[in-house]
Amino acid sequence: MKRLRAFLAAVITLSFLAGYGSIQTKDTASAAAKKVDTVKAASDFTLKLPAGWKNNYVQKSTKNEKHGSHVVFYAKKCYKETKEGWLFSIQRFKDDSYMDLPSYELVGRWNGMSYVAVFPTEVQTMGATKAAKKQYRKLVGDSLAAAASIMPVKKAGKGKGVYRTSAFSLKLPENWKHNYTVEKSAKNSKDFYVSFYAKDCHKQTKAGWLFSIETYEDETYQELPAFELVGKWNGISYVAVFPTDVQSEGASKKAEKQYQKLSRSVEKVARSIQR
């Protein structure tokens, strides 16, 4: 994010020097600028683009949804004049290789795929007219917010082995059936969570905790002792939190066996998260 912020600061400075005023940011946007259009940017995700982007951008994409495929957004006038004007891209990754990119933000993650917003590290208006540069500067200030608005197109169905909440769904293995219990926060709670327990351990000792899914709007979850960011969309992070010790102490052998059986697949279950 440091490079991205430095890039946006450079665009703002150049905008002032050129006499165009400031680009629109969250702090300076007018009420009208807050209006958005939800667009289906690809078969698997939508974005909320500011209403002012309508007819002012060009979208290009690869034809598949596999690792590394991408959707790219350009300022329309720059692109037509010079093939420049790159605003940002959304790239898909099945691993963490995106961390080698020079300027990026992880904006989405679900069903084992990471959706990464990639940004330019320098202004993309070389050779363009003043009108094209002005359009570019107007759009680029909203690029991060547009990318962070990513949402999965589809919700998981209510099929066999699917556990669903109002916010997300998980795919549960067959051997979890009738063997787990759930505790969760109130539906409208600010600190939303769902915690899974091995049923017999929890019944006998109130222990048996397997894992929880918690929601965050910031990165404070990184202070947790054992966690994994398993889901992210529309600015909300879905974090799997795991125990750091065995949770079957004091339970019967049968209950302990049930706990051990379920605990072997908790990471797989957590990573199956979908909208």
Side-chain angles (χ1 to χ4, degrees), residues 12-23:
I12 293 171
T13 301
L14 289 172
S15 186
F16 275 118
L17 292 174
Y20 296 129
S22 64
I23 61 173

Side-chain angles (χ1 to χ4, degrees), residues 10-53:
V11 174
I12 293 171
T13 301
L14 289 172
S15 186
F16 275 118
L17 292 174
Y20 296 129
S22 64
I23 61 173
Q24 291 180 342
T25 65
K26 285 185 177 179
D27 295 330
T28 60
S30 64
K34 293 180 180 179
K35 294 180 180 179
V36 296
D37 292 323
T38 300
V39 298
K40 188 175 181 181
S43 61
D44 53 337
F45 67 87
T46 63
L47 295 174
K48 294 177 182 177
L49 302 181
W53 279 44

Side-chain angles (χ1 to χ4, degrees), residues 172-184:
L172 305 182
E174 178 65 25
N175 62 9
W176 279 51
K177 189 174 182 180
H178 305 309
N179 288 319
Y180 74 94
T181 189
V182 171
E183 291 185 357
K184 57 184 178 180

